[in-house]
Structures are given as C-alpha cells and as structure tokens.
Amino acid sequence: MAEETVVNRVQRRRAATVEEILEAAWVLAAQDGLAGLSLRHLAGRLQMRPQSLAWYFPSKNSLYDALYARGHEDFRRRLAEAGPLDVPSAARSFAAFCVENPPRYQLMTQRTVPGFVPSDSAAALARETFGAWRRALQRAGVNDRAHVDVLTALVKGLVDQQITVDPTGDRYLRHLEFVIDMFTRAVASHPPIGAA
Amino acid sequence: MAEETVVNRVQRRRAATVEEILEAAWVLAAQDGLAGLSLRHLAGRLQMRPQSLAWYFPSKNSLYDALYARGHEDFRRRLAEAGPLDVPSAARSFAAFCVENPPRYQLMTQRTVPGFVPSDSAAALARETFGAWRRALQRAGVNDRAHVDVLTALVKGLVDQQITVDPTGDRYLRHLEFVIDMFTRAVASHPPIGAA
DNA sequence: GTCTATATCCAGATAGAC
DNA sequence: GTCTATCTGGATATAGAC
C-alpha cells in the first residue's frame, strides 16, 4: 500500500536523523567530557533548536540511553563479525574498541554520568553483549566466569590508564601482549580464587 | 606574641572548617556522583549559605582541586605509614585505598569531571605521590617503570570493575591475590615489552 | 566570616503555535 | 518536525550589612 510506503520513508528519515545526532554526540562527548554533554551545544552543532532535538530525545537521559545501547550493539556486532577468536585477538578487539572512542568506553563500562541509569531494555542489551563476550572467550578456551572477569578487568585496567594518563601515546597498551601472555600462562597453571 | 596566637587560632579554625567541607564533599560525591557535586547542596548540608562556602572555595574547580590534592596526600601518607612493603601488600594497599572512597579514586585516577584540570601545585603533588608509589615498588623489587605501569594498571582494572559492576561485593577484588601472583611470576621470567 | 540581595549565564524541561 | 516562549534551577560573581 502507498500508506505503508510513506510510513517507511518517514521512519527511514527519522532513523537517519537519529544517526546524525548520535554521531555528533560522540564527537561532543569527546570534546567536552561525557558528563559535560550539552543538548544545546549538540543542537547547535546540528543546526537545530534545542527544542527540535528534544523531539528525538526528550531528555538528556534518553540520549545517554541511546548512546549506551548503541555502544553495546556496536561491540556485539564487532565480535560477531570477527568470527572465532583466540584469547589474544579477543583481548585486542576489546582494547581497540575501547580506545577508539573513550567516551563510549566510559559510558559503557563506568558510572561517571551523574543520574544516568540505563533503561531496562538497554541493560538487557548490555547483558546480551557481555554474554557474547563470554561465549567468545569460551570458544577460545577460557571456560569459567572467574577467568573471564579477570581478563576483562586486566584489559580494562590497561585501557583506562592509557586513556587517562597518555591519551595520544601507547604507554600502557604496549604492554597488552605481555599481559595477555601472563594471563594465558597463569590460567593454564593456577586457577583463580573463586573459580568454578 | 598575643597577635601571633590570635592568627594561629584563626588559621586553625579555618583549617577545621575546610576539613568539614572536604569531608562532606566526599559524602555528597558518593551520593550524587563526583561530577554531580553541587556547591549549593554542599552548603546546605553544612548549614551555610552558598556564598559563605564560597569564602573557602570560590569556585567548584577550587573545591575539586582541594579534593584532588587531599586524595594524593592521603595516599602518600598511607604509603609512608605502612613502611617497607612487598609487592602483594603494596598492591593490596592501593586497591584498599581506591575502593574505600570511590569518588576519590575516580577524581585521582580518571578524567570524568568535565572541565576539571588540576592546578600546577596539585599536579606536582600527584607526581610526588606517584614517585612515592614507584619507590615503594622499587624497594619491593619492581625495578623498571614498565613493571610499575603494568602492576598499577592491573590493580586499577580490578578496582574499577569492582566499583562499577559490583559495588557492594567482591566479584573482582577476590581475584587480587591471583593477579598479584600472576604478575610476580611473569615479571620474574619475562620482561614486559618496553622495559628498560 | 557569614549573611542578604541581586545579577548574569547556561542548562534542561515543557506548553503550545504552525 | 520545527519553531517561539517560558519555567525552573545551578554556577558564578559582586556589593555591601552585620
């Protein structure tokens, strides 16, 4: 029906605009800090009035929620597209994903935006993504959750220091291979406390 | 001289008030998020008008700066009082210090408060504290900076995940001994990339 | 040192015209 | 979908009484 087609066209247009908004939001977050995001600045950057932006995202929280959800979708897609991974390439994928967009990393893995709590649906998405990460590591031979938690934390520590202390260099991430190797050997010989 | 005594008394009184303010600020930061600190809320909690609080801290940035400096002083004192440490107890000290006051950890080791940049004097203090941390590890046998960086990042990763994902439990920090052990063995046999 | 009073600026949120 | 208009509130600043 013609009616259906018009609706689809409208939806596509809307989706494209949302896409533009999210893209600009990451850029602004990188400039002004994630918690410093301003809907006014964002609107200005997109050549619209703040009240027009509100038509797409009626609150700051709804924008953060969309960014949060999108981040988890992106990492999940990244994992899926990479196909089967071994431990080193899984760790490298995670680290690369984090440092390529620091505010996204911050939003997804920390709680630094005052008042922001992911919606139920976004939180469910995050759990699915963590499940995918866990299964990827499982296929790579990391079988219990304690090991997954340890590897995740170790890579996160390098990433976080890299972003905070040396955002343009490689002072911390250059030790990634060393840490991966250390982890692999340790897991092979000594199970972590609390392992299944 | 009597004059001198009055001055000292005034200074002590002022220092005590500053102490109260900082103490209340940590509490508020824990409640509302570090970046969500409000000078008005803080003043209200201390039974004073915002303009009176401004007599001690004329801007939000000056408050953050004092908190930042105080955090680094506290960790340095903690290290000094602990005396000579081995690697496990140094790592445990760092981890314990971080989780006992998450906003302090966040302010000291991350960049999540939009617009906050430590003053020169506070930054100098932070460097001194890092120097003390490095010397403490050196006395414990961790001799090159690359190893210090790796250990710091590994512990930070556990701490950060602990605070973010499981703030009331021990899901990540229970692996601290495992990680320390992994680090110690790895350093003994395989120097990190970029080591001196 | 603490207060009242006030003023500017910027932010987010909402109502409603077109 | 986009806009004008308006409301509320926080941050910052200044002048000046007590």
Side-chain angles (χ1 to χ4, degrees):
Chain A
M1 294 192 283
E3 180 68 14
E4 182 76 0
T5 306
V6 168
V7 169
N8 285 343
R9 191 176 301 140
V10 168
Q11 286 177 344
R12 273 203 316 276
R13 178 80 183 82
R14 182 185 171 85
T17 306
V18 164
E19 211 58 33
E20 275 184 60
I21 295 171
L22 296 181
E23 193 46 49
W26 289 128
V27 175
L28 262 194
Q31 282 175 10
D32 303 342
L34 180 64
L37 245 186
S38 150
L39 295 178
R40 290 175 128 77
H41 273 151
L42 182 55
R45 192 167 234 283
L46 293 161
Q47 314 259 35
M48 55 169 85
R49 304 279 97 196
Q51 298 88 334
S52 306
L53 179 60
W55 193 82
Y56 298 94
F57 296 103
S59 74
K60 209 174 173 178
N61 237 286
S62 66
L63 174 63
Y64 281 127
D65 203 56
L67 292 169
Y68 179 88
R70 179 59 58 97
H72 283 283
E73 282 168 3
D74 286 349
F75 184 55
R76 200 144 88 99
R77 182 177 312 114
R78 190 78 63 91
L79 276 182
E81 285 170 357
L85 295 167
D86 54 10
V87 171
S89 36
R92 277 180 225 127
S93 286
F94 178 44
F97 180 81
C98 291
V99 296
E100 89 190 19
N101 186 340
R104 182 179 61 184
Y105 155 75
Q106 197 181 333
L107 181 60
M108 290 170 65
T109 75
Q110 291 170 337
R111 284 290 159 99
T112 56
V113 180
F116 171 62
V117 182
S119 62
D120 287 349
S121 67
L125 223 158
R127 278 191 299 275
E128 281 176 38
T129 298
F130 183 71
W133 168 243
R134 195 160 57 164
R135 283 191 301 279
L137 289 181
Q138 210 162 18
R139 278 194 298 271
V142 179
N143 287 310
D144 69 61
R145 204 178 81 160
H147 286 141
V148 173
D149 284 352
V150 169
L151 180 62
T152 307
L154 299 187
V155 177
K156 188 189 191 186
L158 289 174
V159 164
D160 204 68
Q161 280 292 79
Q162 186 60 57
I163 287 171
T164 307
V165 177
D166 182 35
T168 61
D170 74 332
R171 173 169 165 187
Y172 289 89
L173 274 184
R174 69 177 163 193
H175 303 304
L176 182 57
E177 303 300 324
F178 174 75
V179 169
I180 292 168
D181 195 56
M182 154 183 348
F183 171 79
T184 308
R185 291 168 190 272
V187 162
S189 51
H190 306 276
I193 297 162
Chain B
M1 294 193 283
E3 181 68 14
E4 183 75 359
T5 306
V6 168
V7 169
N8 284 342
R9 191 175 301 140
V10 168
Q11 286 178 343
R12 274 203 313 277
R13 178 80 183 81
R14 183 185 171 84
T17 306
V18 164
E19 211 58 33
E20 275 183 61
I21 295 170
L22 296 182
E23 192 47 48
W26 289 129
V27 174
L28 261 194
Q31 282 175 9
D32 304 341
L34 179 64
L37 247 184
S38 153
L39 295 179
R40 291 176 129 76
H41 272 152
L42 182 54
R45 190 167 236 283
L46 292 161
Q47 316 258 36
M48 55 169 85
R49 303 280 97 195
Q51 297 89 332
S52 306
L53 179 60
W55 193 82
Y56 297 94
F57 296 103
S59 73
K60 210 174 172 176
N61 238 285
S62 65
L63 175 63
Y64 281 126
D65 204 55
L67 292 168
Y68 180 87
R70 178 59 58 98
H72 283 283
E73 283 167 2
D74 285 350
F75 184 55
R76 202 145 87 98
R77 183 176 312 114
R78 189 80 63 92
L79 277 182
E81 285 170 357
L85 295 167
D86 54 10
V87 171
S89 36
R92 277 178 225 127
S93 286
F94 178 44
F97 180 81
C98 291
V99 296
E100 90 191 19
N101 187 340
R104 181 179 62 183
Y105 155 77
Q106 197 181 331
L107 181 61
M108 290 171 65
T109 76
Q110 292 171 336
R111 286 289 159 99
T112 56
V113 179
F116 170 62
V117 183
S119 63
D120 288 349
S121 67
L125 223 157
R127 279 191 299 274
E128 283 176 37
T129 299
F130 183 71
W133 167 244
R134 195 161 57 163
R135 283 191 301 278
L137 289 181
Q138 211 162 16
R139 279 195 297 272
V142 179
N143 288 309
D144 69 60
R145 204 177 82 159
H147 287 140
V148 173
D149 284 351
V150 169
L151 179 61
T152 306
L154 300 188
V155 177
K156 188 188 190 186
L158 289 174
V159 164
D160 205 67
Q161 280 292 79
Q162 186 60 57
I163 287 170
T164 306
V165 177
D166 182 35
T168 61
D170 75 330
R171 172 168 164 187
Y172 289 88
L173 275 184
R174 71 177 162 192
H175 303 305
L176 181 58
E177 303 301 323
F178 174 74
V179 169
I180 292 168
D181 194 57
M182 155 184 348
F183 172 78
T184 308
R185 290 169 191 272
V187 162
S189 51
H190 306 277
I193 295 160

